[in-house]
Amino acid sequence: MKQFLFFSFLFLTTITNAQTNLVKNGGFESELINWRGEDVATISPYDKKSGQKSAVINQFVENDWKGMDQIISLPKNTYAVEFSVWIKTESIESQAEAYKAGAMIIEFTNAGEKQIISEPIAQVKGTTDWINYKKIIKAPSEAKKIRIMLALAQTNGSIYFDDVKAVPLTEEEYVKQNPVAVSTEAQKTDSGTKIFSNGSFEENLSSWNGSGLISTTDKKDGNNALELSSKTPEWKAVDQVATLNEGNKTIEISCWLKAKDIQQGKDSWNNGMLIIEFKKDETNKASEDQVIGMITGTTDWTFFKKSFQIPQEAKKYRIMAAMSVCTGTLLVDNIEVKLSN
């Protein structure tokens, strides 16, 4: 009987731990205890999602970064983390860059608190009622800590936060909640074949290489879009390499692009763009890069589609979304690839 009670207790403890919110004082019931940067926020007892209080950050003239954060330890054997927050906004100004918004941003860091990856959980503008934002992110293998940031990111207005959560998930729990992501990962076979995936960025930057942000506020469809921003004329891009099948002769690629104040660089091709590169192997090209879509200035979402003959020597292809030595912001969504024989 004692043994049964022990294992029952152990089982219940495991379930409880798996569902534990890692964020301390995420509902701000204890004022701003456990949060750094408490001088930039205040407690509101009047406007809250639940409980007795919420936190509010106000900024009206400076357009500065104004935020607070909390660093938490990542439990061992955590496969992914489900982040969530309730946010309400009042008159948050819209800036040219999508990242200049009311935001919750998370960073996975190493033991020395050096950033490994950064992901926005919410980017909000304008005036909204209470909205719940939620995102599940796989934990990098080298991650030891998480930094959670709540901010007005270089814009003005008021933003309220309540019920901030970070819940660790086991691999089994992640699989149950993210069957699409797991299916995508399974497309990598033992032979090294890789199918193009996550062109809609619903799985954040999974399958993509490079540095970019995920916009949850400005997208063509779904919940996310890719955002590439640059304040100086430089190459900034993400890319994905996929395998061609034997017998493939043509490839059709389509995408939606949107520009925000993209200023063309020195040459005519220095704009926001989507590019394809055919590869003989890891280091050698089968042909010169070709443009699928190019965009500049400030535009609404624009659809691009092109078909290409696949070079005979090509074994792989590489899709690149890039700010090509220009400034401004490029948004990308719904990249689709169709191969035919």
Side-chain angles (χ1 to χ4, degrees):
M1 182 65 176
K2 288 183 178 179
Q3 188 179 31
F4 173 76
L5 290 173
F6 171 77
F7 283 111
S8 296
F9 174 77
L10 184 63
F11 176 73
L12 290 172
T13 301
T14 302
I15 294 175
T16 302
N17 287 344
Q19 300 300 320
T20 299
N21 180 17
L22 301 176
V23 180
K24 297 177 181 178
N25 190 29
F28 303 100
E29 298 302 293
S30 300
E31 306 288 321
L32 292 169
I33 291 174
N34 301 117
W35 292 93
R36 304 188 304 183
E38 62 270 17
D39 55 318
V40 305
T42 57
I43 292 296
S44 171
Y46 308 108
D47 207 337
K48 64 272 185 183
K49 177 56 185 165
S50 64
Q52 303 299 315
K53 300 168 185 174
S54 70
V56 57
I57 299 176
N58 298 302
Q59 180 165 243
F60 303 112
V61 293
E62 292 90 354
N63 276 4
D64 291 332
W65 169 275
K66 195 172 184 181
M68 57 182 176
D69 70 346
Q70 181 176 148
I71 294 177
I72 54 182
S73 295
L74 188 65
K76 289 183 178 180
N77 302 319
T78 297
Y79 187 80
V81 181
E82 180 183 271
F83 298 96
S84 62
V85 62
W86 283 89
I87 290 177
K88 179 179 179 179
T89 61
E90 294 177 1
S91 304
I92 294 182
E93 295 177 359
S94 181
Q95 309 292 345
E97 298 88 349
Y99 65 85
K100 293 182 178 180
M104 173 174 163
I105 304 166
I106 68 93
E107 291 179 351
F108 283 98
T109 75
N110 62 17
E113 299 180 10
K114 183 178 179 181
Q115 178 186 311
I116 300 170
I117 63 168
S118 175
E119 292 277 357
I121 305 303
Q123 292 175 316
V124 192
K125 300 179 182 181
T127 299
T128 70
D129 201 353
W130 286 104
I131 297 174
N132 184 233
Y133 297 87
K134 184 182 294 185
K135 188 178 290 187
I136 297 174
I137 302 174
K138 285 178 63 177
S141 59
E142 64 272 37
K144 300 298 182 184
K145 297 182 180 181
I146 303 169
R147 181 186 180 201
I148 295 178
M149 293 170 277
L150 309 177
L152 275 173
Q154 295 179 267
T155 191
N156 296 318
S158 298
I159 184 166
Y160 297 81
F161 299 96
D162 206 352
D163 294 338
V164 185
K165 294 182 179 180
V167 178
L169 302 176
T170 63
E171 185 173 3
E172 182 180 3
E173 290 167 331
Y174 177 80
V175 168
K176 287 180 180 178
Q177 297 191 47
N178 285 268
V180 174
V182 175
S183 174
T184 296
E185 290 167 6
Q187 292 177 18
K188 279 190 176 181
T189 68
D190 292 338
S191 64
T193 300
K194 185 180 183 303
I195 299 172
F196 178 82
S197 60
N198 193 29
S200 60
F201 302 95
E202 294 303 287
E203 299 303 322
N204 302 312
L205 289 173
S206 174
S207 300
W208 293 90
N209 306 304
S211 59
L213 296 173
I214 293 296
S215 171
T216 57
T217 56
D218 201 341
K219 64 271 185 182
K220 181 64 179 72
D221 293 303
N223 297 310
N224 296 343
L226 170 69
E227 176 187 319
L228 295 171
S229 295
S230 183
K231 294 181 180 179
T232 58
E234 59 181 336
W235 175 268
K236 190 168 186 180
V238 300
D239 72 281
Q240 181 177 163
V241 177
T243 308
L244 290 162
N245 300 317
E246 188 174 350
N248 287 157
K249 294 182 179 179
T250 62
I251 184 170
E252 178 186 275
I253 303 167
S254 61
C255 65
W256 288 86
L257 303 179
K258 181 176 180 178
K260 290 186 176 181
D261 193 31
I262 293 180
Q263 302 296 316
Q264 181 178 301
K266 182 174 66 173
D267 298 306
S268 60
W269 58 85
N270 294 149
N271 293 298
M273 58 177 60
L274 193 76
I275 310 163
I276 185 170
E277 172 189 274
F278 293 103
K279 300 171 69 70
K280 295 179 183 179
D281 50 43
E282 293 299 324
T283 57
N284 298 303
K285 296 183 181 183
S287 67
E288 293 301 313
D289 299 352
Q290 300 183 69
V291 175
I292 300 157
M294 184 183 298
I295 200 163
T296 189
T298 297
T299 71
D300 200 352
W301 285 102
T302 306
F303 182 69
F304 295 88
K305 182 167 69 174
K306 275 191 179 181
S307 294
F308 302 93
Q309 293 294 316
I310 298 172
Q312 189 172 1
E313 296 178 305
K315 303 298 182 184
K316 299 180 179 181
Y317 63 96
R318 179 185 179 205
I319 302 292
M320 292 173 278
M323 287 286 287
S324 175
V325 197
C326 57
T327 61
T329 298
L330 172 68
L331 292 155
V332 185
D333 205 355
N334 292 353
I335 304 172
E336 294 186 357
V337 174
K338 295 180 181 178
L339 293 163
S340 58
N341 295 337

